């Protein structure tokens, strides 16, 4: 009946059973219980201090809420769909237990500012955790870079062998992406970490509340400045989902490379058995399930971003029930990103690289052609002419089924009289890599410096 609803006063008919289920959010917002109780304790404490409700009531409320918290954590709390959401489930139980004092808790507050508070409290803790997971993955990348500091592999453009690079340099490329991802999360935290409570339903409250005090109790460095915006702003959630999408795109690129590198065609890396599964029909198979799943999960995280953006698009101020739909994409993104980061950090740390195979691949595909051109430039030939000379040399190699390192000095000299015996030392894989010494280059000394820098930055 309408009478069991906290808002039942103006209703004469009970809610339709299906509508009740359709409008309820308790099945997914119950995970906000801790934040909801923490927020209510702070709100009640402030109400008492301001003389808005009696201090005995505050004591009863705080004790009652703590008991409810224990019950929920022990799995002894019956969540009811007819009480719609986590806020009303907790408040109704509180009033059941402590009577009138419980019914005073919602003074000067609305579910609209309450839910905005709960999500911000929730996301802010998750952001800190996610940043810690990013750090763990960064640690694994540094570990691999240091373990394999001078391993040479082919660098690719268009997925065609381009120039030799250090495998450690390739690992540090992902480190750069993850550092930016971390910065985006940190930045998102700044805007999430603002107290919206005190906005009431939309216009503020007639009671002499002290929002700054509540902010202090809940560890918020700032309070929101406009009540309408406080209850209708979900920018922080959209920002988080956007930052997460970018992060997942990075992980999907890394996944793709690991999948490719662990094929029998590449054999650059061997993923630990604990991150792979077999095939039920083909006995020889070891499938890279983890990177494949991470690559796949990028889709749902991108989908969650689009869901949230579409949800908020064109919504008039201030609160609209549509906004109840913000939670599932947000929670799913949090869970997915955390899971992917966690599994990736362990997988990367345990992956084994195959230096011989990488080097062999790096030596093929005319990977040092640019080094020959650069050699000619140092001998006084303009770069464009040098490019042409090397192009012809490569053609000669293709026609004679050989690779650049196999050319004799006499053959080199067919293409340019400037080429001397010192050519051989300038086109080894090591020379090619180590010549790229400018900031950001793949030279060993450069990569070592970047690893040191990354370690310092933590
Ligand atoms: N369950 C609601 C949500 O998630 C809480 C706020 C409801 N406010 C309201 N006026 N119906 O958004």
């Amino acid at each position: 009946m309408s009478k069991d609803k906290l808002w039942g006063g103006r209703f004469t008919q009970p809610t339709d059973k299906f509508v009740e289920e359709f409008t309820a959010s308790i099945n997914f917002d119950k995970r906000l219980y801790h934040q909801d109780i923490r927020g209510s304790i702070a709100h009640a404490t402030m109400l008492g201090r301001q003389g808005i409700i009696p201090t005995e009531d505050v004591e009863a409320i705080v004790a009652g809420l703590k008991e409810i918290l224990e019950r929920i954590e022990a799995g002894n709390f019956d969540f009811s769909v007819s009480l719609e959401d986590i806020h009303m489930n907790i408040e109704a139980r509180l009033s059941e237990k402590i009577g009138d004092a419980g019914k005073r808790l919602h003074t000067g507050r609305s579910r609209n500012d309450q839910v905005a508070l709960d999500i911000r409290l929730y996301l802010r803790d998750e952001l800190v955790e996610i940043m810690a997971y990013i750090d763990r993955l960064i640690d694994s990348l540094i570990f691999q870079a240091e373990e394999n500091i001078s391993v040479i592999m082919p660098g690719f453009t268009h997925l065609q062998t381009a120039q030799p690079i250090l495998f450690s340099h390739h690992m540090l490329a992902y480190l750069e992406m993850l550092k930016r991802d971390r910065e985006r999360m940190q930045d998102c935290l700044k805007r999430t970490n603002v107290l919206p409570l005190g906005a009431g339903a939309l216009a503020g409250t007639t009671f002499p509340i002290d929002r700054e005090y509540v902010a202090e109790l809940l560890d918020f460095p700032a309070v929101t400045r406009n009540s309408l915006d406080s209850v209708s702003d979900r920018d922080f959630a959209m920002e988080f989902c956007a930052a997460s999408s970018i992060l997942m795109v990075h992980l999907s690129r890394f996944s793709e490379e690991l999948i490719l590198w662990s094929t029998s065609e590449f054999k650059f890396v061997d993923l630990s058995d604990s991150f792979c599964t077999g095939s039920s029909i083909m006995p020889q198979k070891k499938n890279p399930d983890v990177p494949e799943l991470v690559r796949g999960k990028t889709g749902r995280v991108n989908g969650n971003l689009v869901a949230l953006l579409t949800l908020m698009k064109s919504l008039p101020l201030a609160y609209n029930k549509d906004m109840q739909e913000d939670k599932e994409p947000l929670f799913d993104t949090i869970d997915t990103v955390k899971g992917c980061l966690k599994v990736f950090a362990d997988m990367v740390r345990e992956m084994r690289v195959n230096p011989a195979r990488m080097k062999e691949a790096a030596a093929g595909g005319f990977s040092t052609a640019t080094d020959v051109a650069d050699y000619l430039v140092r001998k006084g030939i303009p770069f464009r002419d040098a490019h042409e000379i090397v192009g012809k040399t490569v053609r000669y190699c293709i026609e004679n089924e050989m690779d650049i390192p196999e050319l004799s000095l006499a053959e080199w000299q067919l293409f340019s009289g400037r080429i001397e015996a010192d050519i051989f030392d300038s086109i080894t894989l090591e020379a090619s890599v180590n010549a790229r010494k400018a900031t950001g280059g793949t030279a060993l000394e450069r990569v070592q410096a970047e690893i040191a820098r990354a370690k310092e930055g933590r």
Side-chain angles (χ1 to χ4, degrees):
M1 283 304 293
S2 57
K3 280 293 141 203
D4 65 1
K5 297 277 190 273
L6 296 183
W7 40 253
R10 64 101 70 212
F11 288 75
T12 54
Q13 298 283 313
T15 320
D16 177 277
K17 258 284 153 235
F18 180 70
V19 170
E20 205 167 79
E21 268 169 44
F22 185 78
T23 53
S25 53
I26 185 64
N27 287 328
F28 50 84
D29 67 15
K30 60 172 163 230
R31 72 156 88 184
L32 296 172
Y33 71 92
H34 198 280
Q35 291 69 21
D36 198 70
I37 289 175
R38 190 172 172 210
S40 288
I41 290 177
H43 179 66
T45 307
M46 179 277 292
L47 290 178
R49 190 166 102 134
Q50 297 300 101
I52 301 168
I53 64 172
T55 34
E56 314 84 73
D57 285 1
V58 178
E59 279 158 27
I61 290 171
V62 173
L65 287 173
K66 285 187 174 160
E67 209 184 307
I68 291 174
L69 179 64
E70 274 168 30
R71 287 192 77 98
I72 296 177
E73 283 184 336
N76 282 333
F77 189 93
D78 268 339
F79 292 103
S80 144
V81 167
S82 69
L83 288 168
E84 200 178 316
D85 56 23
I86 186 65
H87 324 296
M88 292 197 292
N89 267 270
I90 290 174
E91 197 193 321
R93 176 60 56 87
L94 182 70
S95 300
E96 229 174 80
K97 284 165 74 76
I98 64 169
D100 281 358
K103 297 193 216 157
R104 293 205 170 91
L105 168 63
H106 213 48
T107 313
R109 180 176 81 170
S110 145
R111 266 189 301 152
N112 298 349
D113 54 350
Q114 186 179 358
V115 70
L117 169 67
D118 291 4
I119 316 172
R120 284 175 186 262
L121 281 171
Y122 187 82
L123 181 58
R124 130 182 133 166
D125 288 347
E126 294 292 340
L127 278 164
V128 172
E129 247 191 73
I130 287 171
M131 285 189 278
Y133 277 119
I134 295 178
D135 288 341
R136 275 192 55 204
L137 178 49
I138 287 180
D139 285 348
S140 297
L141 288 167
I142 294 176
F143 172 79
Q144 282 294 350
E146 286 188 314
E147 283 288 291
N148 301 287
I149 184 74
S150 45
V151 170
I152 295 178
M153 67 179 285
F156 299 92
T157 60
H158 314 269
L159 203 52
Q160 312 264 340
T161 299
Q163 291 172 352
I165 56 169
L166 289 182
F167 171 77
S168 47
H169 191 55
H170 199 113
M171 289 300 104
L172 293 194
Y174 285 106
L175 180 138
E176 291 299 318
M177 294 176 230
L178 287 160
K179 266 169 46 190
R180 292 193 296 273
D181 291 324
R182 196 188 192 290
E183 277 171 30
R184 271 184 280 272
M185 296 295 173
Q186 184 73 54
D187 207 51
C188 174
L189 178 58
K190 275 196 305 211
R191 280 175 291 276
T192 302
N193 206 7
V194 184
L195 174 90
L197 199 72
L202 75 164
T205 171
T206 56
F207 295 98
I209 59 169
D210 182 349
R211 300 187 61 208
E212 284 69 20
Y213 178 58
V214 178
E216 220 179 284
L217 291 176
L218 294 174
D219 243 345
F220 280 104
V223 303
T224 55
R225 313 306 307 182
N226 180 291
S227 60
L228 293 168
D229 181 52
S230 307
V231 290
S232 57
D233 168 24
R234 293 293 182 273
D235 292 7
F236 57 94
M238 292 186 270
E239 253 186 275
F240 168 70
C241 286
S244 296
S245 275
I246 297 174
L247 166 68
M248 287 300 294
V249 166
H250 293 154
L251 294 188
S252 78
R253 298 179 75 175
F254 201 174
S255 296
E256 175 73 10
E257 296 200 318
L258 294 178
I259 293 163
L260 207 60
W261 292 353
S262 53
T263 59
S264 56
E265 289 75 10
F266 270 82
K267 280 208 197 76
F268 283 6
V269 298
D270 193 16
L271 299 177
S272 156
D273 283 1
S274 30
F275 298 92
C276 300
T277 63
S279 155
S280 54
I281 173 167
M282 298 167 283
Q284 84 283 13
K285 293 279 265 180
K286 175 172 151 186
N287 297 324
D289 295 49
V290 167
E292 287 178 296
L293 271 176
V294 171
R295 185 175 62 179
K297 283 179 190 292
T298 308
R300 67 197 281 164
V301 172
N302 289 353
N304 289 338
L305 169 63
V306 174
L308 210 50
L309 291 171
T310 312
L311 167 68
M312 294 308 294
K313 178 191 169 291
S314 313
L315 273 192
L317 302 189
Y319 178 83
N320 300 270
K321 184 78 167 184
D322 314 43
M323 288 159 74
Q324 180 164 291
E325 290 283 307
D326 62 357
K327 282 162 214 66
E328 285 163 296
L330 179 67
F331 294 161
D332 185 68
T333 296
I334 291 170
D335 297 345
T336 307
V337 162
K338 269 168 48 179
C340 291
L341 284 169
K342 180 173 155 45
V343 74
F344 233 83
D346 296 337
M347 181 179 63
V348 168
R349 181 169 278 270
E350 284 177 39
M351 129 189 127
R352 305 268 296 256
V353 315
N354 184 342
R357 183 55 209 122
M358 284 192 190
K359 190 162 186 186
E360 183 194 342
F366 311 104
S367 65
T368 51
T370 317
D371 298 279
V372 181
D374 290 354
Y375 169 91
L376 291 170
V377 168
R378 285 194 295 275
K379 298 278 175 180
I381 297 175
F383 182 76
R384 275 289 150 234
D385 295 340
H387 187 283
E388 172 79 13
I389 291 168
V390 183
K392 287 187 173 139
T393 316
V394 167
R395 218 197 33 242
Y396 173 90
C397 287
I398 294 170
E399 281 162 3
N400 293 281
E401 288 182 33
M402 54 201 298
D403 209 328
I404 285 179
E406 297 164 81
L407 291 167
S408 68
L409 185 57
E411 283 172 308
W412 276 118
Q413 286 173 344
L414 293 175
F415 302 97
S416 169
R418 304 272 181 99
I419 298 181
E420 296 162 83
D422 60 349
I423 182 73
F424 298 108
D425 281 344
S426 10
I427 59 168
T428 64
L429 295 178
E430 287 76 12
S432 167
V433 162
N434 288 322
R436 291 168 166 79
K437 288 188 208 304
T439 307
T442 191
L444 179 61
E445 60 186 86
R446 254 299 133 216
V447 174
Q448 278 164 335
E450 288 305 320
I451 290 176
R453 200 162 182 268
K455 284 173 139 180
E456 239 169 66
R458 282 177 307 155

